[in-house]
Each structure stands twice: as structure tokens, then as C-alpha cells.
């Protein structure tokens, strides 16, 4: 791109256009490469729950014929159900991406206490896993936003904090505000992220070391979250160090007028 900038045909406009095209080609190439990786990741991510679901159904069918009162029946129903839910969540993310790209991610705003939403979400994490969630900051913060979408952002950040911190149990959530904005931050003490990867984190399909990933996921959660926060007129960001954990944060306007 720089070489084109130094081209002899300096003032005729073509040189500028040419450098623009080269830039686009590089971006297109990167997106194409990520799409290829994404298809391979997505196929794998969909296949795992389908395979488990399929196996559970076969076992259930057999049990219903041979031993319908077995205590294995509820266990396999549960397993099938969990995997079905996993599939629904994966498909929801894929549908969300399509909606975002078609500009159809509708917001349904109401007034609610953000702290209640955060408490519900953290209760869920406490019930489901071994992670300890520590809440600090404000205990009431009314905002005008889409409850379900903000919940989705929080669930994404908290699930990532759980997923990418398998060895370390504490997750700290802090809620603060200024006159016009609230800030929510989710801190984990997990694997962390190399600083050079941070600029790409909120890109569609992006996963650190995509193909060598030992964690499940589609690389869409942060992209969807950043779109949701952006649509609300807020900002989302991260501070992280490899090996030391991450702190993801987002802001939201308190006043309706901040809406974009
Ligand atoms: P995924 O489904 O892969 O988790 P996300 O969009 O939620 O997709 O995150 C994108 C990538 O950012 C992840 O694949 C992971 O590499 C990195 N990442 C996200 N959250 C964390 C975290 N809390 N700690 C370390 N890495 C993270």
C-alpha cells in the first residue's frame, strides 16, 4: 500500500484508488481465511452435540423397549436435553449474526435495574459451576435498554470468564457509573490474551489460535456483544495479559437520549 502511495502518478487520483483496492483485497483475504476456519470450527461445534444427542436417543429407544423404568432414562433425557440446548444456542448465535448483517437486530427497550439482571446471571453461574462470582459496586442502577440483549452480553462475558479460566475460580464483576454512563466489568484470572490479539477480539469469527483451540465456541459471542453494546450507544473493551487473566468491560448510557 505504501509503495502505491509513492507511485509516480501522484496527483491523478488513480494512485489513491489503487492503494484503496489493495487494502480491500488484504481485508477480503483475511475475512475469507477466517470464514474458511469458521466453517471448519462450526461444523465441529455442531457435530459434537448432534453426535451426543443421537447416541442418547438411541440408548433411550433401547431402554424404552427393554427396561423403561431404569434410572438411566432420566439421565439420558437430561443429556439429550443439554445437547439440544447447546444446539439451540449455537443456532441462535448464527441467526444473530445474520440479523446484524442485515441490520435487523431489533432492540426492545424498557427501564430496568441493571444490578438485578447481573445478580440473576451470577446466581446462575454459582448454581451451575464451581466458579465463585464476586459482585462489587452499585446495588441499584436503572437503565433504559433491551433487557434480553444486555443479558445476552453479560452471559457471553461471564461464560467466557468461566470457560477461559478453568484453573482459577474467582470472577469479579464490578458495576459503577458516572452522570451519564454505567460501566460493568467482568474480570477473570484465567489464560489471558496476548496483547497483539486484542485488536481482533471483537471481529466476526475471530478466535485466538482458531484451529488449535482447546475450548469450544464459534468466535461470535464477542462480535455479537459488541454490536449489541454499540447499538445501545455504549462501548466495549478488554484489558488482558497472557497467563494473567482478562478484564472485559462495557459501558451503557443511562439516559434515553444517548441512544444511537
Ligand atoms: P468463542 O465462542 O470462541 O469463545 P468469543 O467471540 O466469545 O468466541 O471470543 C473470541 C475469542 O476471544 C475466543 O475464542 C478466545 O480466544 C478469546 N477470549 C474471549 N474471552 C476470553 C477470556 N475471558 N479469556 C481469554 N480469552 C478470551
Amino acid at each position: 500500500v505504501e509503495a502505491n502511495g509513492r507511485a509516480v502518478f501522484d496527483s491523478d487520483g488513480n494512485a489513491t484508488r489503487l492503494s484503496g483496492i489493495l487494502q480491500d483485497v488484504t481485508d477480503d483475504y483475511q475475512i475469507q481465511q477466517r470464514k474458511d476456519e469458521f466453517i471448519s470450527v462450526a461444523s465441529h461445534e455442531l457435530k459434537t452435540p448432534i453426535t451426543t444427542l443421537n447416541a442418547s436417543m438411541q440408548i433411550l429407544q433401547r431402554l424404552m423397549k427393554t427396561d423403561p423404568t431404569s434410572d438411566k432414562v432420566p439421565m439420558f433425557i437430561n443429556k439429550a436435553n443439554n445437547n439440544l440446548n447447546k444446539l439451540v444456542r449455537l443456532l441462535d448465535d448464527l441467526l444473530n449474526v445474520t440479523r446484524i448483517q442485515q441490520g435487523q437486530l431489533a432492540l426492545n427497550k424498557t427501564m430496568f435495574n441493571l444490578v438485578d439482571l447481573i445478580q440473576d446471571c451470577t446466581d446462575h453461574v454459582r448454581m451451575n459451576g464451581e466458579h465463585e462470582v464476586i459482585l462489587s459496586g452499585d446495588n441499584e442502577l436503572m437503565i433504559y435498554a433491551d433487557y434480553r440483549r444486555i443479558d445476552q452480553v453479560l452471559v457471553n462475558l461471564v461464560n467466557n470468564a468461566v470457560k477461559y479460566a478453568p484453573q482459577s475460580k474467582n470472577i469479579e464483576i464490578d458495576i459503577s457509573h458516572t452522570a451519564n454512563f454505567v460501566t460493568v466489568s467482568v474480570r477473570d484470572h484465567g489464560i489471558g490474551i496476548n496483547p497483539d490479539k486484542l485488536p481482533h477480539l471483537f471481529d466476526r469469527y475471530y478466535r485466538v489460535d482458531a484451529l488449535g483451540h482447546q475450548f469450544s465456541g464459534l468466535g461470535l459471542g464477542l462480535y455479537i456483544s459488541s454490536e449489541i453494546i454499540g447499538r445501545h450507544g455504549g462501548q466495549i473493551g478488554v484489558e488482558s495479559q497472557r497467563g494473567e487473566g482478562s478484564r472485559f468491560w462495557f459501558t451503557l448510557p443511562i439516559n434515553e437520549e444517548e441512544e444511537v
Side-chain angles (χ1 to χ4, degrees), residues 96-107:
N96 277 325
V97 170
T98 313
R99 283 199 194 106
I100 289 168
Q101 286 176 322
Q102 294 173 346
Q104 287 174 347
L105 191 85
L107 294 185

Side-chain angles (χ1 to χ4, degrees), residues 49-89:
I50 289 175
T51 309
T52 320
L53 182 59
N54 202 12
S56 302
M57 294 313 281
Q58 279 178 9
I59 294 170
L60 278 170
Q61 266 172 343
R62 207 170 49 233
L63 281 172
M64 292 320 277
K65 275 189 209 140
T66 56
D67 187 8
T69 55
S70 158
D71 56 2
K72 286 189 183 144
V73 170
M75 194 183 91
F76 280 104
I77 290 181
N78 210 12
K79 202 169 183 169
N81 202 30
N82 285 344
N83 282 286
L84 194 58
N85 285 338
K86 216 179 214 170
L87 281 171
V88 170
R89 279 198 302 274

Side-chain angles (χ1 to χ4, degrees), residues 160-161 163-164 188 191-193 201 206-208 213 217-223 246 248:
N160 279 350
K163 178 162 73 173
Y164 296 107
D188 68 60
I191 62 168
I193 302 154
L201 231 54
Y206 185 79
R207 311 187 78 209
V208 178
H213 225 302
L218 291 178
L220 293 176
L222 289 179
Y223 167 72
S246 316
F248 282 85

Side-chain angles (χ1 to χ4, degrees), residues 41 45 90 93 156-165 186-188 190-193 197 200-210 213 215-225 238 240 242 245-248:
V41 169
E45 287 296 307
L90 288 170
D93 272 356
N156 277 338
L157 297 186
V158 173
N159 280 349
N160 279 350
V162 170
K163 178 162 73 173
Y164 296 107
V186 180
R187 170 110 183 76
D188 68 60
I191 62 168
I193 302 154
K197 315 278 186 201
H200 305 290
L201 231 54
F202 298 92
D203 293 354
R204 185 165 32 124
Y205 310 129
Y206 185 79
R207 311 187 78 209
V208 178
D209 307 325
H213 225 302
F215 304 95
S216 67
L218 291 178
L220 293 176
L222 289 179
Y223 167 72
I224 295 169
S225 299
V238 55
S240 187
R242 188 89 186 144
S246 316
R247 177 181 168 268
F248 282 85

Side-chain angles (χ1 to χ4, degrees), residues 18-204:
L18 190 57
S19 81
I21 288 167
L22 279 179
Q23 182 62 49
D24 283 347
V25 167
T26 317
D27 287 350
D28 278 356
Y29 175 73
Q30 270 189 3
I31 289 177
Q32 192 53 47
Q33 201 179 18
R34 276 189 209 154
K35 265 191 185 160
D36 291 346
E37 285 174 354
F38 171 75
I39 289 171
S40 126
V41 169
S43 321
H44 177 78
E45 287 296 307
L46 291 168
K47 197 171 174 199
T48 311
I50 289 175
T51 309
T52 320
L53 182 59
N54 202 12
S56 302
M57 294 313 281
Q58 279 178 9
I59 294 170
L60 278 170
Q61 266 172 343
R62 207 170 49 233
L63 281 172
M64 292 320 277
K65 275 189 209 140
T66 56
D67 187 8
T69 55
S70 158
D71 56 2
K72 286 189 183 144
V73 170
M75 194 183 91
F76 280 104
I77 290 181
N78 210 12
K79 202 169 183 169
N81 202 30
N82 285 344
N83 282 286
L84 194 58
N85 285 338
K86 216 179 214 170
L87 281 171
V88 170
R89 279 198 302 274
L90 288 170
L91 286 177
D92 268 350
D93 272 356
L94 293 172
L95 282 173
N96 277 325
V97 170
T98 313
R99 283 199 194 106
I100 289 168
Q101 286 176 322
Q102 294 173 346
Q104 287 174 347
L105 191 85
L107 294 185
N108 176 16
K109 292 187 176 183
T110 56
M111 209 61 185
F112 63 88
N113 182 3
L114 179 64
V115 185
D116 284 345
L117 180 152
I118 293 174
Q119 260 158 3
D120 284 351
C121 173
T122 55
D123 285 349
H124 220 249
V125 175
R126 287 197 192 99
M127 265 168 16
N128 280 320
E130 298 152 5
H131 282 75
E132 187 59 48
V133 191
I134 301 148
L135 267 185
S136 63
D138 291 305
N139 48 32
E140 188 182 303
L141 258 181
M142 298 303 291
I143 58 165
Y144 184 70
D146 185 323
Y147 186 98
R148 226 173 49 84
R149 294 289 178 201
I150 300 302
D151 187 51
Q152 190 180 355
V153 172
L154 203 75
V155 168
N156 277 338
L157 297 186
V158 173
N159 280 349
N160 279 350
V162 170
K163 178 162 73 173
Y164 296 107
Q167 311 289 353
S168 149
K169 308 239 171 293
N170 279 6
I171 297 167
E172 291 125 39
I173 302 185
D174 185 70
I175 311 152
S176 64
H177 74 281
T178 59
N180 298 318
F181 280 89
V182 301
T183 303
V184 177
S185 76
V186 180
R187 170 110 183 76
D188 68 60
H189 302 273
I191 62 168
I193 302 154
N194 264 337
D196 63 318
K197 315 278 186 201
L198 295 179
H200 305 290
L201 231 54
F202 298 92
D203 293 354
R204 185 165 32 124

